[in-house]
Every structure is written in structure tokens, then in C-alpha cells.
Amino acid sequence: MVRFIALFLLVSLGASAQMVEEKRLKAHVEYLSSDQLEGRGTGTPGEKKAGDYIIKSFKKAGLKPYPGHKDFRQEFMAKKGAAGDVKAHNILGYIDNGKPYTIIIGAHYDHLGKGDQGSSLKPGSKGEIHNGADDNASGVAGMLELARYYATNKKTENYNFLFAAFSGEELGLLGSKYMTEHSGIDPKSVNVMINMDMIGRYREEKGLTIGGIGTSTALEKWGPELGMCMELKYNLDSTGVGPSDHSSFYLKDIPVLFLFTGAHEDYHKPSDDAHLLNYNGMKLITNYVIQLVSHLDELPKIDFKKTSNPHANATRSSFKVTMGVMPDYSYTGKGLKIDGVSEGRPAEKAGIQAGDILLKVGDKEIKDVYSYMEVLNTSEKGQTVSVVVSRKGEEVTLKLTF
């Protein structure tokens, strides 16, 4: 019966879903990942050009600034290594359907610039433009097509829509964290946040990672069901925390869905270019979002669930162990400030809490996120260590088993 309902939904919506156009997706990616934007580094002129393009697309589709904001840009300060603090901007576009609840669809539009802000995986590439076609011009392209679809489909859905292009993601989810804390958004008014990050390399042998399904009973049920009915190859990841902007919303008790086609040999390298993307796959994934939202449109506001599963299928790290914490990347003091703790993971079992500042793991001093990652890379599964955290100004020593 469930399969029949889903198939009926797909058939009935098939014609309208075709409004997503492959040529538009490609045009968005080709501009956003062109050399003239110089890699869209946070706070750079290239990032501003990308923001201008997104705003122009929002305006053309008929979107408005989010209520309480004078324009589409939301400025925040981002700490950028040796460059210090730079001005960065989220871009927020809104469709007001006069409904009590909102669906947020987001994608980060910043990338690595000319390899001068860290994270490049090509040795000696400083000065080379990192165009970031898959990461994440692809997600922005999908988000822009969805904005155009919902603004022009001549239907009033049962939700408002907030489309968000985040900056500062590559520096540590800075833009999405700022948005959740400074936009006047009541988390209880958000039905779901859908994050599109690297959707440009869909391959049937690897499939699409559908992450965050464990954050709501409705997503757990309908996320994979609709993927199956659309004959998408997919992997499932239940957790709401991962290396992308949906984490910022999950930590505010908002259900999230994370779409990701996987890492590849061009990830974080200058070779991540537009001609390597699977635009038909991008269209398929964007239509998947339309089908899912169309189904959610028929349901009451969905529930929120805490998740305890480790981030697995879509992970971009190769650490031997995890602690199960979400760092506060905007923190600039000594140590690593903890923004969130995953249930059932080593940090929670050890008694580490959100707001703690991690100072020491074993005999290694934690000065920043980089020394923290070094500890993860050199620790072994099953190893028990002492950890020192600062909690409300007092140092607390705990035992943690990886």
C-alpha cells in the first residue's frame, strides 16, 4: 500500500517535476565555477560576484528578502587564518505562502579560493584557482532551480520556503551557524532543512547519500521510499550531524536531510571543474527533493528525533576514531569549544557537554581544531584516555574511551 501511494504521487507530479531543467543547472554551475570568480573564497570579490548572481536569480524568480532583513545579504564576520576576520555573507531568499511553517533549502556557495585558505588536497597548489564545481556550485545550482520551481509553479504549498546560500562553510560551517542564531528564525516553525552539498557526481556504483533520515519519523519512512520509487541508487545515513551546514540546524532541534554524491579524486583540488559533473544526475536529485517536499506538503508538521548513529556513509574524513562532538568553529580562544555532542558516542559516554572547551586529550594539548584532528588521526579504537575540559571556568578531568 505504501509503495502504491508513493508511485501514484510520482505519476501525478511527473509533468510538473520536469520544470527542473538540466541546461539551467549546467549554466549555474559553469558561471559559479568559472575562473572569473577565482574559487569563491570566503570574503573575496569572487564570493561577492557569486552572491550577486544568486541574488539576481532570486529576484528574477520573484523571491523576497527574509522578513526582518532589509535585503538578501546577511553579513557576518569570518575568521580566515592569517587574513584574520573578513566580511562574509549568507544570501537568503523567501517565498511567503502565508503558512505557519517553513521549509529551508540550503547550499553553501563558498569554496577554497586560490588555495590560500587551507583545506586544498593538492600539494603546492597555493595560487591555483579551486573552482569547486561539485563543491559546491552543484548544490547551489540545485537550490536555485528549486527556488525557481517553487516561485513559478502556480501552486501555493502548505509551507513557506526559505532558500539559503551559505558562506564560510569551508572554514567550519560559519555561515549556517550564524544564520541559525541571528536570523530571528523560530526552530519550532521549521518543518525540515534540506542541505544540498556536492550533488554533482552521481554514479550508480556509489549512489546518492541520503543523510539525516533518522532526525524524523517521516524522513525515515519517506526518504528511502521515494528514492526507491524514483529508481535512485542510494545509501542511507541516519545521523543529523556531519561535515556540512545541516549540522547547524540539527543542533537547533530541526529535522534535516543531507544530499551528497560522495567524494572523488578532484575533491578540494583545482581540477574540480564543471565539465566533469553529471547534470542528468543533478536533475534527478533535484526532482527527488520536489517529490519529497510534495509528499511532506500532504502531512502535518513532521516530528524531530535525536540521532545516535555515527556519521558513516557520507563522511569525508579518514580518522581512525571519532569522539562524537560538533566543534564550534567560530570560537577563537584556546582549545576546542564543543557546540554539540552526539548521543551514544564516546564524548557523551565520558560526560562531555555542549559548551565545554576541550583542552587536553591524553598527553596532547588541544590548541585548536587542527590539534584536535591530529589527536583523532593518531588515536586507536578502544583506547582509553584522560580528557581535560573547561566547564564554566573550571577544569574538569574525564575518562574517554574511543
Side-chain angles (χ1 to χ4, degrees):
M1 183 65 176
V2 168
R3 170 64 71 84
F4 173 78
I5 294 171
L7 285 171
F8 176 79
L9 176 69
L10 290 169
V11 171
S12 64
L13 293 173
S16 62
Q18 295 304 313
M19 284 184 65
V20 173
E21 297 181 7
E22 192 173 319
K23 66 179 182 181
R24 290 179 182 271
L25 292 169
K26 186 176 182 181
H28 290 320
V29 170
E30 286 180 339
Y31 176 74
L32 291 169
S33 63
S34 63
D35 283 353
Q36 62 180 299
L37 269 63
E38 297 186 323
R40 309 186 307 278
T42 303
T44 65
E47 184 207 58
K48 183 180 184 303
K49 288 181 181 179
D52 290 342
Y53 180 86
I54 295 167
I55 291 171
K56 182 179 178 181
S57 298
F58 280 170
K59 287 182 176 179
K60 185 176 181 180
L63 276 67
K64 305 295 183 183
Y66 187 68
H69 295 243
K70 62 180 181 180
D71 55 34
F72 292 93
R73 277 191 165 89
Q74 180 187 47
E75 182 179 300
F76 64 96
M77 300 305 294
K79 189 171 183 61
K80 189 177 177 181
D85 290 342
V86 298
K87 289 183 180 179
H89 299 86
N90 295 324
I91 312 295
L92 309 181
Y94 190 61
I95 297 175
D96 187 356
N97 286 326
K99 306 298 181 180
Y101 300 111
T102 296
I103 289 175
I104 299 175
I105 299 177
H108 77 89
Y109 74 104
D110 65 305
H111 193 50
L112 306 185
K114 293 184 177 181
D116 55 353
Q117 61 179 59
S119 299
S120 176
L121 294 180
K122 180 184 177 183
S125 62
K126 188 173 181 180
E128 294 185 49
I129 296 174
H130 290 60
N131 283 321
D134 187 28
D135 188 12
N136 183 37
S138 66
V140 176
M143 184 268 291
L144 290 177
E145 267 295 87
L146 289 168
R148 187 181 69 86
Y149 172 83
Y150 286 111
T152 61
N153 65 354
K154 299 181 180 180
K155 177 184 176 183
T156 302
E157 284 81 12
N158 289 319
Y159 295 98
N160 311 310
F161 290 93
L162 175 55
F163 294 90
F166 307 110
S167 184
E169 192 270 356
E170 299 288 6
L171 296 176
L173 318 186
L174 301 184
S176 56
K177 178 177 173 60
Y178 186 88
M179 176 183 165
T180 61
E181 297 178 348
H182 297 88
S183 299
I185 298 172
D186 179 2
K188 294 181 180 179
S189 72
V190 180
N191 193 44
V192 64
M193 187 274 171
I194 300 173
N195 180 29
M196 306 174 79
D197 190 356
M198 294 178 61
I199 63 167
R201 295 289 190 101
Y202 179 70
R203 295 148 289 180
E204 288 208 353
E205 66 273 17
K206 290 195 173 183
L208 168 71
T209 291
I210 304 174
I213 62 166
T215 63
S216 173
T217 305
L219 296 178
E220 221 164 28
K221 178 179 181 180
W222 289 107
E225 179 67 24
L226 291 173
M228 182 167 57
C229 290
M230 291 183 71
E231 299 185 358
L232 268 170
K233 300 290 184 181
Y234 61 84
N235 305 297
L236 300 177
D237 185 4
S238 293
T239 188
V241 174
S244 191
D245 291 302
H246 60 287
S247 299
S248 300
F249 294 84
Y250 169 77
L251 292 173
K252 298 296 183 182
D253 292 348
I254 294 171
V256 297
L257 197 75
F258 172 42
L259 302 178
F260 172 62
T261 54
H264 44 78
E265 62 182 8
D266 302 300
Y267 172 66
H268 275 207
K269 294 179 182 177
S271 53
D272 182 10
D273 287 323
H275 70 279
L276 298 173
L277 269 56
N278 178 353
Y279 293 100
N280 184 64
M282 287 175 59
K283 179 179 177 179
L284 185 65
I285 294 164
T286 307
N287 277 328
Y288 169 81
V289 175
I290 290 176
Q291 301 293 356
L292 180 63
V293 170
S294 295
H295 188 72
L296 296 179
D297 201 53
E298 304 298 322
L299 301 176
K301 184 181 183 298
I302 66 176
D303 63 331
F304 170 76
K305 297 198 310 178
K306 292 282 189 182
T307 64
S308 57
N309 289 6
H311 190 77
N313 293 324
T315 185
R316 302 184 202 176
S317 69
S318 57
F319 301 128
K320 298 179 182 178
V321 299
T322 66
M323 283 181 61
V325 300
M326 179 67 185
D328 181 351
Y329 291 100
S330 63
Y331 175 72
T332 58
K334 183 181 178 181
L336 183 83
K337 188 172 183 181
I338 307 301
D339 205 25
V341 180
S342 296
E343 293 183 12
R345 305 302 294 149
E348 187 204 38
K349 292 178 180 178
I352 294 175
Q353 303 174 8
D356 285 352
I357 299 172
L358 185 63
L359 300 176
K360 197 171 184 180
V361 177
D363 59 357
K364 298 185 184 298
E365 185 179 359
I366 305 300
K367 299 178 180 179
D368 50 29
V369 68
Y370 301 105
S371 53
Y372 167 69
M373 290 190 291
E374 184 180 347
V375 166
L376 295 184
N377 200 40
T378 56
S379 299
E380 300 291 340
K381 191 172 178 63
Q383 180 181 355
T384 299
V385 296
S386 295
V387 296
V388 179
V389 301
S390 174
R391 181 178 297 166
K392 297 180 180 179
E394 296 185 5
E395 289 194 2
V396 178
T397 301
L398 304 165
K399 288 289 185 183
L400 180 142
T401 301
F402 287 110

